[in-house]
């Protein structure tokens, strides 16, 4: 049984976290190498990998580790985040103005606050595997912490040929509910379902806006993804704890942090999206290009981010 991190001192906790991530990188890296071998048989490169995990689950650290893992095996890899596709500050302000009654779209974060067209054009350029591709960068510290896209001439450049593309995001891969599914979801929201407690705080239209954001993400990006890695958590309330740990680490480094109430308010805005999407992902899986088999590696994480089990998932069409 993995050690419970809360019972460990700071040094031992850091060591255990590092060991856990090393094992996770190995597990995911081996999976990607197998999918890469399948993709090479199609003579269509690169392999495009989508990575989904809740805030604080270790997506960014995993991608950094995977880039090193794959490069050490002579696999040229490019990694970036769905966060880098956020709308510009000015565009986000327009979204907020056009959705005055939707607090979920007041700030960046939710589906509907990303430049999905930019994401598609970036992926298509990488998939074409010719010349150079500029990779978008978003700086959350700009505009007094509201964030903004970095000037294009400062974006890093990926040079072809590329073997693997990694794109991670907390809601990347979430699927929109169809009309009947959304009606059933709203029935639970307006009833007494204990698993939809966060969605209950918002109007039907607020939630419909987020579902539409999922639809746009899916229509524009998911057909370009060959394989998925899903870091699944059983209880989404653990996101509060994980984000609190991140805030504490930043505070120890002298960086500005959110107090507990602001942190709770911040995290609460993301919870309805989990409630809306998780059941469908569990039942039907992720949408992908269809160019590799058994295209999803699902890692089951406990509250301390240990991988307690893993399996493969294919979509139910």
């Amino acid at each position: 049984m993995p050690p419970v991190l809360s019972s460990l001192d700071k040094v031992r906790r850091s060591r255990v976290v590092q060991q856990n991530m090393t094992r996770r990188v190995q597990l995911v890296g081996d999976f990607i190498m197998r999918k890469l071998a399948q993709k090479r048989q199609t003579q269509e490169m690169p392999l495009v990998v989508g990575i989904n995990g809740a805030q604080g689950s270790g997506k960014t650290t995993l991608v950094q580790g995977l880039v090193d893992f794959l490069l050490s095996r002579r696999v040229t890899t490019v990694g970036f985040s769905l966060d880098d596709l956020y709308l510009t500050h000015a565009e986000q302000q327009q979204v907020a103005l056009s959705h005055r009654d939707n607090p979920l779209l007041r700030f960046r974060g939710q589906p509907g606050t990303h430049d999905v067209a930019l994401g598609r054009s970036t992926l298509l350029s990488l998939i074409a595997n010719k010349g150079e591709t500029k990779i978008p960068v978003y700086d959350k510290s700009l505009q007094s912490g509201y964030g903004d896209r970095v000037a294009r001439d400062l974006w890093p450049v990926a040079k072809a040929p590329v073997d693997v593309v990694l794109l991670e995001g907390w809601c990347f891969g979430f699927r929109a509910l169809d009309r009947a599914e959304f009606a059933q979801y709203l029935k639970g929201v307006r009833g007494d379902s204990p698993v939809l407690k966060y969605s209950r705080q918002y109007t039907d239209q607020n939630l419909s806006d987020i579902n539409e954001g999922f639809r746009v993400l899916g229509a524009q990006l998911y057909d370009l993804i060959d394989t998925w890695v899903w870091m699944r958590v059983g209880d989404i309330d653990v996101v509060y704890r994980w984000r609190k740990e991140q805030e504490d680490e930043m505070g120890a480094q002298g960086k500005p942090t959110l107090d507990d109430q602001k942190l709770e308010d911040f995290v609460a805005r993301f919870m309805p999206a989990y409630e809306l999407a998780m059941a469908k992902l569990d039942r039907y899986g992720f949408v992908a290009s269809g160019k590799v088999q058994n295209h999803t590696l699902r890692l089951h994480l406990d509250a301390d981010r240990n991988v307690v089990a893993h399996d493969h998932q294919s979509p139910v069409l």
Side-chain angles (χ1 to χ4, degrees):
M1 176 179 295
V4 179
L5 294 188
S6 58
S7 68
L8 303 180
D9 60 51
K10 186 175 181 180
V11 174
R12 289 184 63 205
R13 180 180 181 279
S14 177
R15 186 181 304 121
V16 169
V17 169
Q18 186 175 12
Q19 292 171 346
N20 289 345
M21 183 55 68
T22 299
R23 287 193 291 268
R24 197 187 308 184
V25 168
Q26 182 72 51
L27 178 63
V28 177
D30 289 343
F31 170 78
I32 290 174
M33 291 298 293
R34 293 194 297 273
K35 299 302 115 177
L36 180 61
Q38 290 182 17
K39 187 69 185 291
R40 279 176 169 154
Q41 293 178 0
T42 71
Q43 297 184 341
E44 297 179 36
M45 296 293 288
L47 176 76
V48 184
V49 183
I51 298 176
N52 176 284
Q55 292 99 326
S57 61
K59 297 183 301 298
T60 301
T61 306
L62 175 63
V63 168
Q64 291 169 346
L66 287 173
V67 169
D68 292 340
F69 177 94
L70 294 167
L71 287 177
S72 71
R73 288 155 178 78
R74 301 179 183 273
V75 176
T76 304
T77 305
V78 175
F80 62 110
S81 172
L82 195 66
D83 288 0
D84 292 314
L85 302 178
Y86 280 136
L87 297 168
T88 65
H89 179 64
E91 291 168 340
Q92 176 56 45
Q93 288 182 312
Q94 289 301 311
V95 169
L97 285 172
S98 62
H99 296 82
R100 292 177 185 272
D101 296 327
N102 194 340
L104 295 171
L105 294 176
R106 194 166 296 154
F107 305 106
R108 69 174 190 267
Q110 293 283 357
T113 65
H114 300 88
D115 188 336
V116 182
L118 174 62
R120 185 171 183 84
S121 64
T122 302
L123 285 177
L124 285 174
S125 178
L126 290 166
I127 290 169
N129 233 353
K130 298 178 181 178
E132 298 181 343
T133 300
K134 287 203 165 190
I135 307 299
V137 176
Y138 191 91
D139 187 341
K140 296 177 183 178
S141 71
L142 297 177
Q143 303 292 344
S144 301
Y146 288 101
D148 207 348
R149 190 177 301 155
V150 172
R152 186 179 179 86
D153 59 357
L154 298 178
W155 295 1
V157 174
K159 296 182 179 180
V162 173
D163 297 312
V164 173
V165 176
L166 308 172
L167 178 54
E168 58 89 356
W170 73 273
C171 65
F172 193 43
F174 283 5
R175 300 173 60 173
L177 305 183
D178 63 26
R179 183 175 298 180
E181 290 168 337
F182 190 70
Q184 187 65 28
Y185 160 74
L186 287 181
K187 184 178 179 180
V189 170
R190 302 308 164 209
D192 57 0
S193 171
V195 299
L196 300 174
K197 58 186 177 181
Y198 297 105
S199 301
R200 197 163 290 127
Q201 302 172 38
Y202 300 95
T203 69
D204 292 2
Q205 185 58 53
N206 291 163
L207 300 169
S208 179
D209 289 341
I210 302 308
N211 194 50
E212 173 62 14
F214 290 156
R215 188 195 66 77
V216 174
L217 272 178
Q220 291 292 313
L221 298 182
Y222 297 170
D223 65 313
L224 303 179
I225 309 301
D226 297 313
T227 191
W228 291 91
V229 175
W230 183 16
M231 294 182 284
R232 191 193 184 286
V233 294
D235 181 1
I236 61 170
D237 283 340
V238 76
V239 173
Y240 283 102
R241 175 181 142 186
W242 288 350
R243 279 307 311 262
K244 173 61 175 169
E245 290 172 356
Q246 289 179 325
E247 292 293 317
D248 290 345
E249 289 175 5
M250 288 191 295
Q253 298 169 13
K255 298 178 180 179
T257 62
L258 299 174
D259 62 36
D260 288 351
Q261 184 58 55
K262 289 182 178 178
L263 178 62
E264 183 175 345
D265 293 343
F266 174 78
V267 174
R269 289 192 292 110
F270 295 89
M271 292 307 198
Y274 291 111
E275 293 179 342
L276 197 157
M278 291 282 284
K280 185 165 185 174
L281 278 186
D282 272 329
R283 184 174 182 181
Y284 294 110
F286 289 75
V287 175
S289 67
K291 295 179 180 178
V292 301
Q293 298 176 341
N294 299 322
H295 66 58
T296 299
L297 173 65
R298 181 167 51 182
L299 309 179
H300 300 269
L301 306 187
D302 67 10
D304 288 323
R305 304 181 187 84
N306 296 301
V307 178
V308 294
H310 67 276
D311 53 27
H312 294 89
Q313 183 186 39
S314 294
V316 178
L317 302 177

